[in-house]
Structures are given as structure tokens and as C-alpha cells.
Amino acid sequence: MAVDYVLEDLMGKLGEFGKYQFLQFFLQVLSGLTAGMHMLSLVTVAAVPEHRCFIEGVDNSSLSVTPWNSSAILAAIPLKPNGELESCLMFDPSSPGTNATINCERYVYDTTYYKTSRTIDWNFVCDRRWMGAIVQTVFMLGVFTGAVTLGGLADKVGRKTVFCWSALFQLIIGVGVAFIPEYFSFMVARYLLGIVGSAGAYICGFVLTMELVGPTKRTVCGITFQAVFAGGIMLVAGWGALIPDRQWLQVIYGLHGCLFLGHWWWLDESPRWLWMQGRAAEAVDIVAKGLRINGSGIPVDKEYYVQKAKQQAAAEEKSSAGLSDLFRTPNLRMKTLNVCLCWFANSLVYYGLSLSAGKLYGNPYLILFIMGLVEFPSYITIVFVLDRLGRRSITSTLMLGGGLCCIVAAYIAQGSTTSTAVVMAGKLLIAGSFAVIYNYSAELFPTVVRNSAMGLGSMCARLSGALTPLITLLDSFDPKIPAVLFGVVALISGFWVMFLPETMNQPMPESIEDGENFGKGDTWFSQCAGRKKRQNSVYPDDPEQMVPLKNIESK
């Protein structure tokens, strides 16, 4: 079938966005808040303060008391070319009168902004700095794992089931990780938190929204998810500024999982997923419930829809679609690879520019807050232009712009006003394309593998997010290498996106066959040349498309 007219007629009774959709959307979008919070919680919980060597006879503790510019400190610690104290070196006390240096054995931390953190507790600085970076990488690998496993699982057992169980474990692990005193156990807990905290609930919540609201509201709802995610980042900064103790701070972050305690009773399964699983009666019941809450008064003939679903099931070959189906046919395979690179590149540039922004001088909580806030202008603009200009052109343009900002930033001195402006502009652009790719991916892939496709895309994004801290180590060879690499990947992906089909005002494909036929021959180049007119069907040559819906129902 090109378009499941019966299913679309059933979902169409709900309208685009009524009271019922709003209530369900509110429950679903909360997952974006906690996902953003857990994603960057280590910025405060494991913050790396300014540090220097502990000087015997001068310092009394590892927390800064002695002024860093005192004569005793300046006599014991060499200066960097920019005039700052060396963080990891001190003059060799066994060779007085020389400039010989040795590595620090103990450290003193500046407590101006951070009173406690995992870094201070475990001395994750200098030659142990990689141990702190690995913790964030392990978290991203957890998100990677969750995107692979839970995305496919949600296509088989249901979006609601995976959402609710992920939310429960998110609460338990999010609070429990605060009390783990040992490094490797802490890494395991962070890995598990990545699986359930930023993959399970978030992706399922997004897919539930895309499958429930009307086509004209998907843009606003999809972008709202990204805005709430940015709000989670801002909340990390807000709580961090208010709570100085890293243990209680992590507990507060984890307790946000209480927002999901009522979801098992309040959140509904996706009617589209139920329908595609042959559970038409349950799908009709949920739509009828929605109509009652919306107060529309539209009757629903349950027997009619159940009977139609049975007829379709008998006419179709029963199959269980999975992740491998995204690669079985050529058109769907090419779209899948294209979208995977797009997710990978967006995440790479997003975190690459975030690292650059993190090097700005000033209050780290304010900087982190601004890093989240700067995304909102992009989201607001996209809400107004996405359904006018289309997904393909906006995604490509923003990625090309973000990639160029990455490359330009590499050749500008850090700390300058120009550098800050370029970094923030790049962050704004790439945040916009990152938001659009969520909507774009959900509309490109068929219902039977949509959650798997979203999970695969998120997996690619988290893989690049995990690689970003490792790629930045290349700055030991040349400081420009990481930023230029980020920019080149974004430029390549931004160009390839031009070969994806446009999904604006198109019906969402339902089956694997729909996904394979959707958008064949539709590229940015063919559309500009006037050779390919966008179709309003995933089956442009299907004669059934010419039959009015009311005639089909009367058969």
C-alpha cells in the first residue's frame, strides 16, 4: 500500500493538535529536559577548576588559600607564554637557581567557582586528565548503545514500554551514581545512565510525538523537543551555580526522573504503532479517548476500522521489520547512509564548537547557560521557515554554514571578540540543523522501522560525540587540526544532504515498500532544474491515489 487510507482517516479524526495531543506531547517532551541535563551534567559534577602544583611550606591544603600571584608561588612555579601559571609543572626544588622543572605530585585547586567535583576528588588533571575525559566518552557510548538496542526494541515491544522503563532506571541510576566512590563503578553507572537517560526515553518520546500530531504541527513539536533539551543544559548551569556540593548536585539532577513517575498511567501508546502491529482495536480505543478529551464529538466506528485492518492484514504478507531492512533495498539504503552521516556530522560540529565555547573566559555557569540560550533564536526561526522552505534546503544550508564557522574559528586567535562571535554563530547554525534532522529523519523512514532508524541516527551522533574529545587530542600536532576536521565533515555531509528527498507536506511512509519508493529521483539539483516535481504520494504511480477516500470507504 502506498498510503494506508484507513489509518490516515482514523488519525485524521483527532485533528492536528487538540487538547489530547497537547497533554500527551507535554508528557513526552519532558524527556528532552532530562536528556539535556544528563548529557552535560559532568560539566559541573566533574568540573575541572584552575589548578597548579602544591608547594611544600607555602600551601596547607589542596584548596586554594594562598594567593596565586604571591611572590612565593611565582618563585616556585614557571609561567606560560601568556603569563599564566603552569598547571602541571613546578621548578625542581632539588636544583635551586636553575629553570629545571618537574611534574606536580600534588595539586591545589581554585575554588572560586567549584568547591567540590569528581576531578578534585580524584585528581583528574595533567597526566590523569584522560581519565576524566573517558568518563564522558563512556557516557556517550552508553547513549550509542541505547540508540542501537532500545530503538529496535521500541519497534517490537512498543514506544511506551521502552519509554517508561527507561525513565524508571534513569531515576534510580541518576540518584545512585552520586554515591559511588570508586572510579570504574562510576564509569559503569554513567554508561548505564547514558543508555536510559539520553537514548531510551528521549528517542521514544520524540517518535511518539511525531506519530501522534498532525503534519502541520510536527515542525513546532519537533523543534520544541530540541529547545527543551537546550533548557536542560541551562538547568545544569542553574543548579550548578546554586548547589556547591557535587554529590547533592548529582542527586538533584537524578531526582528530575520523578517527572516520569505517572507516565505508565497517563502516557498512551502510539496508535500508528499499534495499527502496524495488528492491534487495531487498541489503536481505535486510544483515538476514541483522544476525541473525548478534545471534545470533538466525532463518532468512531470501531468495528469498521477493526474489520478494515483485518482485511489489510490478510491481503499483505506478514513480516517483522527491523534495522536490517533499512539496508535491504537500494533507495532506502542510500537514504539511511546519508542520514547517518548527517547525524554524525551534526553531533561532531555541535560538540566541537561547544568545546571551543567552553574555553571562553568568565563565570563557567554563565557561559554554559549562554551556550544553551544561544540555540533558541535558531529554533524560533526554524519554526517559521521549515514548512515554507523545506527540510532539505535548511538542513544543507545550516550544515554548510556551521562547517565554515568551524574552519574559520580555527584560524582566529582564541579569546578574541571575533572568535567568540564565530563560535556562537556556528553553534546557532548547527543547533538548527541538528533540530531539523530529528524531524527530517522521522518523516523519511516508514513507521515499521521509524524508531530503529531514529535509534541508528542517534547512534551515529553519539559515536561522533564520543570521538570528539579524542579528536581534540590532535591539537598536540597542530591546534587547527580538530576544528578543520570538524568543518570538513560538516561540509561533506551538508552537500550530500542535497540528494535526499524533500518531505515537506508529504504523507509519512508506513511500510518498507513505501520507504523504498518514497522520493525516488527527488534531489535538490533535480528540483532546481525542474526535472522532478515533488509528489504528494509515496507511490506516485499508484492509480489508487486518484480514488477519493470516501469512495474507498464505501466499497
Side-chain angles (χ1 to χ4, degrees), residues 443-502:
E443 295 171 347
L444 276 171
F445 295 103
T447 299
V448 291
V449 288
R450 184 169 297 123
N451 221 100
S452 295
M454 293 293 291
L456 181 62
S458 181
M459 174 197 73
C460 294
R462 304 321 158 198
L463 176 61
S464 64
L467 290 175
T468 300
L470 305 179
I471 293 175
T472 56
L473 297 178
L474 296 174
D475 63 4
S476 60
F477 300 100
D478 188 326
K480 298 182 181 64
I481 291 178
V484 171
L485 182 59
F486 298 152
V488 169
V489 172
L491 292 177
I492 292 173
S493 179
F495 177 75
W496 199 16
V497 165
M498 296 178 182
F499 292 89
L500 285 172
E502 179 56 68

Side-chain angles (χ1 to χ4, degrees), residues 42 124 130-139 183 186-187 190:
L42 284 181
F124 286 160
W130 63 271
M131 298 179 71
I134 286 294
V135 175
Q136 180 65 27
T137 296
V138 166
F139 177 85
Y183 175 67
F186 179 70
M187 279 204 304
R190 290 290 305 180

